[in-house]
Amino acid sequence: MSELTTSRLSGLLRWIGGVLVILLGFELLAVLMANAWGEEAFHQLLVDTLLAHAPMALVGLLLMLVGSRLDFPVQGRSPLRWTVLVVGALMSLALFVAIPVQVGGNQLIQLEANRSVDQKRSEFEQAQQESQDPKLMEMLQAQLEQAGQVSAEAKPEDKKAQVQALIDQRLDQLKQQQVQAERTRDLTLGQRRWGGTAVALLLALASLAVALAAVL
């Protein structure tokens, strides 16, 4: 590979890398303009934005570092490498700070999800208890007869069977809603733990490694 080709390649890598890093800055700036530090939702949005675009910025730092080494293989600490060091260190620090914020947000989400599951469970248990009350059964049968859902000319045992079938159908729906709420809670928390907290830790370590590689 000729020296001119290497120079063009290194320049292209530095330019692309710089653009990727700047894009992260723009995304964070768009969130910071809201300036709502007292709100937990703002903290989570800031952390989510950082985690979503940090891999892109990490690749940008790597491209800048590779471009610098291609262009100046002997020069130890050029201004570009100092830039990679500073930006990488700041990004690593921000990601380490984001971890406890992410954990705190996960706890709040878990509390809300647990409340939703408890509400669905309470609705199911209440409906189950009501289905065993003879008076409520009679009231429900009368209402269903007026609504035309149960035939008024049917035998008493047939009416009771039709009402019980409708009650069982309602109970099945409430039970499915409870199971769906539990499943949604588990999937959401699992995704945030492994797709959020764990990823933040890995990105923080990777950013620190790139920052150190810029001056070593």
Side-chain angles (χ1 to χ4, degrees), residues 106-207:
N106 291 347
Q107 292 175 349
L108 292 177
I109 291 175
Q110 183 171 7
L111 289 175
E112 294 178 359
N114 287 339
R115 281 196 291 266
S116 178
V117 171
D118 291 340
Q119 181 181 357
K120 296 296 183 183
R121 184 181 294 113
S122 177
E123 291 176 358
F124 171 74
E125 292 175 353
Q126 182 179 357
Q128 197 172 34
Q129 291 176 358
E130 291 176 350
S131 67
Q132 299 173 359
D133 189 340
K135 293 182 179 180
L136 288 176
M137 289 280 291
E138 292 176 0
M139 292 176 56
L140 180 59
Q141 178 177 324
Q143 292 175 359
L144 293 176
E145 286 179 1
Q146 292 179 356
Q149 294 182 266
V150 173
S151 175
E153 300 176 355
K155 297 179 180 179
E157 57 271 17
D158 293 337
K159 292 181 180 180
K160 185 177 180 180
Q162 292 179 29
V163 172
Q164 189 62 48
L166 292 173
I167 291 175
D168 292 341
Q169 182 180 4
R170 176 58 178 166
L171 289 175
D172 289 341
Q173 291 176 350
L174 292 174
K175 186 62 177 179
Q176 290 175 4
Q177 292 176 5
Q178 175 189 333
V179 172
Q180 183 62 37
E182 293 173 349
R183 188 175 302 165
T184 301
R185 176 195 60 186
D186 296 340
L187 289 174
T188 300
L189 292 174
Q191 190 275 334
R192 287 187 65 85
R193 288 193 183 103
W194 297 108
T197 307
V199 169
L201 179 59
L202 291 176
L203 288 173
L205 295 174
S207 300

Side-chain angles (χ1 to χ4, degrees), residues 35-64:
N35 195 23
W37 292 100
E39 300 178 7
E40 181 62 28
F42 175 77
H43 300 163
Q44 293 303 313
L45 178 60
L46 185 60
V47 169
D48 291 343
T49 303
L50 177 63
L51 293 179
H53 297 88
M56 173 186 66
L58 180 60
V59 172
L61 291 176
L62 282 171
L63 293 177
M64 292 170 64

Side-chain angles (χ1 to χ4, degrees), residues 78-124:
S78 63
L80 182 59
R81 293 187 189 181
W82 281 112
T83 301
V84 173
L85 170 65
V86 172
V87 175
L90 289 175
M91 192 166 73
S92 177
L93 177 61
L95 288 165
F96 276 120
V97 172
I99 293 175
V101 178
Q102 180 84 0
V103 172
N106 291 347
Q107 292 175 349
L108 292 177
I109 291 175
Q110 183 171 7
L111 289 175
E112 294 178 359
N114 287 339
R115 281 196 291 266
S116 178
V117 171
D118 291 340
Q119 181 181 357
K120 296 296 183 183
R121 184 181 294 113
S122 177
E123 291 176 358
F124 171 74

